Amino acid sequence: MTVVGPFGVSVRDQALEADLQTGLTAVEAGLVEATKSDVPFLNDTAQHLVRAGGKRFRPLLVMLAAQFADPHAPGVVPSAVVVELTHLATLYHDDVMDEAEVRRGVPSANARWDNSVAVLTGDFLFSRASAIVAGLGPEAVRIQAEAFERLVTGQILETAGPRPGDDPVDHHLEVIAGKTGSLIAVSGRFGALLSGADEATVHTLTQFGERIGVAFQLADDVLDITGDPHESGKTPGTDLREGIDTLTVLRLRQQAAEGGSPEDRALVELLDSDLSDDARHAEALAGLRVHPTLASARADALRYAASAREALAPLPEIPAKAALAGLCDAVADRTV
């Protein structure tokens, strides 16, 4: 058994391992090339997060999806670069919105420079992704545009919050499907489509990507509460400090409103206080780490990971299918 890539997918086939390593190396070179600029300052800001590394989850999914047809087709690596560039661009923008100070173990772009630089650098990466996807044909451009629309809509829904009468948990899942699931779904779709897979396989891998994307984000939400900053590269409790309610908090609020304990209501009151205060922030994190709704959020992440595994059923029994199933386990393990 071999572990490939920072995300830690297990591969038991030497040929698949070699293909993945070769593909991911090509993607890394493509990312560096795509973020080069004749303007030295822009070159530095655009490559800031590329050089910081990352899980490269989306390119890995592209490479695995391509295994169901021709993994060496000319559009596979460029499409993987496109999805990762798009993801990186959103990180620059997210860090401005969240006022984050750390990203991937290094100072965020907005912390190192300022918000304007971070936003414009994100825009630059979006433009480079658009230029590359234009070379992949009209269908790829349409897919990327639709995903980008879903991604932005998800962010707007999160910013606006649920409407009166909406279920906050359902709203949160809709946000996640847009912000995270959309681009991961495209990763599976691009890998299958651009490798020449049949329509049914493209559909299956798109559905898998959507479901594993939601599971991935739900696990990430758990890590925002439980994570070690030295391992995750992010500051724990960023969502809390910004007043963003993840699934753990949403379920806590429901429980407190529906006859929860005095301790539940006290924790909600603490969450609604000024968490810019470090002591209150630490107290809130400590309270959530031992609250039963954290276990409930973990269970939701596991449920979506199991659903993603079920989506793989129609695919042929090749090593890439086993590796995709291993991704479900890896996402679930992040919640432990």
Side-chain angles (χ1 to χ4, degrees):
M1 182 173 67
T2 306
V3 174
V4 176
F7 191 74
V9 60
S10 297
V11 177
R12 294 176 173 83
D13 182 88
Q14 289 186 345
L16 175 58
E17 178 191 350
D19 267 356
L20 292 178
Q21 294 285 14
T22 299
L24 290 172
T25 298
V27 169
E28 210 64 33
L31 288 171
V32 172
E33 185 64 30
T35 50
K36 285 181 179 178
S37 170
D38 293 335
V39 179
F41 180 69
L42 182 54
N43 193 74
D44 290 343
T45 64
Q47 296 193 346
H48 178 62
L49 289 185
V50 170
R51 298 194 182 281
K55 294 177 285 291
R56 303 296 190 249
F57 181 48
R58 292 154 187 81
L60 177 61
L61 182 52
V62 173
M63 297 297 149
L64 286 170
Q67 291 290 322
F68 293 89
D70 178 8
H72 307 117
V76 173
V77 168
S79 71
V81 173
V82 166
V83 293
E84 188 66 9
L85 276 179
T86 304
H87 173 56
L88 288 170
T90 67
L91 297 184
Y92 280 85
H93 288 180
D94 282 351
D95 286 345
V96 171
M97 296 183 69
D98 298 341
E99 299 180 1
E101 296 182 356
V102 177
R103 171 68 71 174
R104 297 184 171 178
V106 300
S108 61
N110 48 297
R112 180 170 175 179
W113 292 287
D114 59 34
N115 285 349
S116 295
V117 168
V119 169
L120 291 170
T121 301
D123 292 346
F124 174 76
L125 297 185
F126 280 131
S127 70
R128 287 294 173 90
S130 298
I132 296 170
V133 80
L136 300 177
E139 177 69 0
V141 172
R142 183 184 65 79
I143 290 169
Q144 173 76 353
E146 289 175 352
F148 192 47
E149 178 184 349
R150 286 190 64 201
L151 195 158
V152 172
T153 300
Q155 182 62 71
I156 290 173
L157 284 173
E158 180 179 72
T159 302
R163 295 173 298 180
D166 285 351
D167 183 286
V169 170
D170 289 344
H171 177 268
H172 182 65
L173 293 173
E174 185 179 2
V175 166
I176 288 176
K179 283 187 61 179
T180 304
S182 60
L183 192 58
I184 296 179
V186 166
S187 301
R189 189 172 183 179
F190 271 166
L193 180 69
L194 294 168
S195 65
D198 60 66
E199 186 176 342
T201 300
V202 172
H203 175 76
T204 293
L205 287 162
T206 303
Q207 291 302 306
F208 171 81
E210 180 88 17
R211 296 177 191 182
I212 200 71
V214 174
F216 180 88
Q217 186 57 53
L218 290 175
D220 221 39
D221 288 353
V222 170
L223 280 176
D224 187 67
I225 296 170
T226 65
D228 181 336
H230 299 293
E231 295 180 4
S232 67
K234 292 186 286 187
T235 304
T238 298
D239 289 332
L240 284 183
R241 202 181 288 277
E242 293 305 311
I244 298 172
D245 286 353
T246 56
L247 208 53
T248 300
V249 175
L250 290 170
R251 293 202 185 282
L252 167 64
R253 291 188 184 280
Q254 286 184 330
Q255 185 170 310
E258 296 170 2
S261 68
E263 290 78 13
D264 292 338
R265 292 189 288 275
L267 183 52
V268 168
E269 185 177 343
L270 176 62
L271 292 172
D272 290 336
S273 68
D274 181 8
L275 294 184
S276 64
D277 179 85
D278 289 341
R280 288 180 182 175
H281 182 257
E283 184 182 353
L285 266 181
L288 288 173
R289 283 170 177 164
V290 297
H291 198 277
T293 54
L294 180 62
S296 177
R298 284 191 173 109
D300 284 311
L302 293 173
R303 179 166 55 86
Y304 273 92
S307 177
R309 183 190 292 273
E310 291 170 3
L312 296 172
L315 296 176
E317 298 297 332
I318 64 173
K321 181 177 180 179
L324 289 170
L327 278 179
C328 301
D329 296 333
V331 168
D333 287 345
R334 298 174 77 232
T335 69
V336 175

